[in-house]
Amino acid sequence: MPSTMDYADRLRLADLRVTRPRIAVLQAVHAHPHADTEMVIDAVRAVLPTVSQQTVYGTLHTVTAHSLVRRIQPAGLVARYESRVGDNHHHVVCRSCSAIADVDCTTGNAPCLNLAHDNGFLVDEAEVIFWGLCPNCSASQPRT
């Protein structure tokens, strides 16, 4: 996991002011891949007990807008945040427990899919979510 100095450097490179809440949010997202907002708030408050919920929400918005973290929101689930950015990877989600795991590009380089027709769009990203059962949930399913 990157150090506090690495997080400060990342913030500076994104032309963002370095603050303790921003560093704590980046640390939380790196430490807890696919964390929802409440998980990030809890992790940040473990380091900065008096930080407000609104500060964490605002910081997540800012660091996402500057591509320091990535926000994903599979259908029917709350938004999740991850530190793996810039590689256009995909996700697999468990239908039973909502566990999320990363899946590398399925075909070629980003955006990892080939369109039959792009309708004039300059496509730079594809968001693919695979659904199924994670190993724990599939092991608990009765065999027929």
Side-chain angles (χ1 to χ4, degrees):
M1 182 160 46
S3 70
T4 300
M5 189 57 81
D6 293 333
Y7 296 125
D9 289 342
R10 289 176 187 193
L11 289 165
R12 285 185 197 99
L13 285 171
D15 290 326
L16 293 173
R17 194 166 42 95
V18 177
T19 65
R20 291 178 63 208
R22 286 180 177 168
I23 288 173
V25 165
L26 291 176
Q27 287 173 324
V29 173
H30 276 79
H32 307 283
H34 308 119
D36 64 25
T37 307
E38 293 304 315
M39 293 167 67
V40 174
I41 290 169
D42 290 345
V44 170
R45 284 188 174 157
V47 178
L48 302 172
T50 60
V51 73
S52 73
Q53 193 171 352
Q54 187 57 44
T55 295
V56 175
Y57 277 105
T59 301
L60 283 169
H61 176 76
T62 298
V63 296
T64 300
H66 285 83
S67 301
L68 297 175
V69 301
R70 181 178 175 193
R71 179 185 185 274
I72 63 167
Q73 189 167 6
L77 300 178
V78 298
R80 307 291 182 101
Y81 297 89
E82 64 181 348
S83 59
R84 187 174 169 186
V85 296
D87 67 350
N88 194 221
H89 68 279
H90 307 300
H91 297 93
V92 60
V93 180
C94 180
R95 289 184 188 281
S96 181
C97 71
S98 301
I100 300 174
D102 291 334
V103 177
D104 288 329
C105 286
T106 56
T107 306
N109 297 320
C112 308
L113 298 171
N114 297 317
L115 298 173
H117 184 47
D118 62 15
N119 293 306
F121 284 70
L122 179 59
V123 177
D124 62 6
E125 182 178 357
E127 185 172 312
V128 176
I129 298 179
F130 299 93
W131 294 87
L133 293 176
C134 70
N136 289 336
C137 292
S138 62
S140 67
Q141 293 289 319
R143 302 279 182 207
T144 56

